[in-house]
Amino acid sequence: MSDTLTAAKQLVAEALEVEVTEIEDESNLDNLEAWDSLAHMRVVQGLEEKLGGTLSAHDIVSIYGVSDVVEILGRGQAG
């Protein structure tokens, strides 16, 4: 597992207030009951803190699952 994927799963788990073992590579809004609108904003906040900047509106609405978090983390910068 890549460091970025591990970081993404940890970030999502913390935002959703679940154990990281509950987060799969394919986890997303549709298959995680805990991923509601408030949890989504905590994912955004976690990304912004980790990246040290503000995500674009496009990025915020495009986050659907762990793979999107991986993509944003992989860019290494907000926006």
Side-chain angles (χ1 to χ4, degrees), residues 3-78:
D3 289 342
T4 305
L5 179 57
T6 301
K9 286 182 170 184
Q10 183 64 43
L11 189 149
V12 170
E14 289 174 11
L16 275 56
E17 300 175 342
V18 300
E19 295 295 321
V20 72
T21 55
E22 296 181 42
I23 307 299
E24 303 290 333
D25 296 3
E26 304 81 22
S27 293
N28 61 54
L29 288 161
D30 289 335
N31 59 25
L32 284 172
E33 186 175 322
W35 199 325
D36 58 15
S37 59
L38 182 57
H40 190 81
M41 293 314 299
R42 288 193 302 259
V43 169
V44 170
Q45 181 182 20
L47 282 165
E48 290 179 340
E49 287 175 3
K50 192 162 200 64
L51 298 173
T54 303
L55 294 179
S56 70
H58 178 265
D59 280 344
I60 292 170
V61 299
S62 296
I63 298 170
Y64 175 73
V66 170
S67 61
D68 300 310
V69 175
V70 169
E71 178 188 336
I72 292 169
L73 286 174
R75 291 195 315 238
Q77 62 185 22

